[in-house]
Amino acid sequence: FITADELAWESLSGNGCPWARTPHLDALMGRGTTFDLSYCADTSCSPSRSAWYTGRPPSETGVVTNRHPMEPSVVDIGQWLTAQKGPEPHYIGKWHLRGRRCGESFEALYIAAPPGVLTDVATMRTTEGFLANRPTDSPWFLAVNLINPHDICYWLGRSASDPEARELGLPEAALPAVPENFAVDPDEPELVRRTSRRRTNTPRWTPEKWRAY
């Protein structure tokens, strides 16, 4: 089960994105199944992770923001597989769930921390090592969690007040258009308003800066 942090569905060339080339991810899609009617349970990291490892929405896991811990009574897939004596659960890469250590649910082979440019290589090398030496006499489940393309957020943080933030050496025509829902909804829920990084930076950023981002 492979996760790439902050990788949008529409940013894959295999899904029709004209702005990026993702041949290796496209190859994975070609060999597997694409769920094109599925979507994230939340736009933030920890709430999404809590949902896909439990099958329950963030409102039930208790992880409604990155700062909220997992509800202790909620069972995740690692705990469930162990209780059912099913495939042995293993975990590699980013965890980012407060209130629950990865080792409580999985055999944690390597836990990574940002930035991904430094730790994703170790995540993949650990994954390769596991697959090369995996058990052959019993079933297993492996969760691999890459950090990138999350690292772009650090550029956002550094560039929020920089008037030249869009200067990436790219011509205007090379920048994608802003999405149709780019404008901030004045009626969005209060929780979204308080936790949205985009709302905080929007007054200081032009649409051109967001296109560069």
Side-chain angles (χ1 to χ4, degrees), residues 45-188:
C45 181
S46 297
S48 277
R49 291 173 184 276
S50 75
W52 71 58
Y53 283 123
T54 64
R56 298 169 66 173
S59 58
E60 294 183 9
T61 66
V63 188
V64 293
T65 72
N66 285 343
R67 299 179 179 88
H68 286 73
M70 178 85 87
E71 173 62 43
S73 63
V74 175
V75 176
D76 61 53
I77 189 172
Q79 296 170 335
W80 185 83
L81 287 173
T82 299
Q84 297 295 316
K85 301 187 185 307
E88 184 176 337
H90 304 273
Y91 199 99
I92 301 172
K94 182 178 179 180
W95 178 242
H96 202 192
L97 280 175
R98 294 192 177 195
R100 183 169 302 181
R101 293 184 302 103
C102 182
E104 298 175 25
S105 307
F106 299 84
E107 180 185 1
L109 303 179
Y110 170 71
I111 301 301
V117 69
L118 298 179
T119 58
D120 276 353
V121 171
T123 293
M124 294 313 302
R125 292 290 181 265
T126 305
T127 301
E128 291 174 344
F130 174 86
L131 295 176
N133 301 280
R134 66 187 183 275
T136 58
D137 57 351
S138 60
W140 46 270
F141 170 82
L142 176 63
V144 180
N145 290 260
L146 299 165
I147 293 175
N148 269 321
H150 183 286
D151 283 1
I152 189 63
C153 287
Y154 305 123
W155 180 84
L156 171 64
R158 289 193 302 270
S159 306
S161 59
D162 178 3
E164 304 300 325
R166 68 174 296 273
E167 297 300 328
L168 299 179
L170 296 173
E172 184 79 11
L175 302 179
V178 295
E180 294 180 2
N181 63 346
F182 175 75
V184 175
D185 184 355
D187 298 321
E188 67 185 0

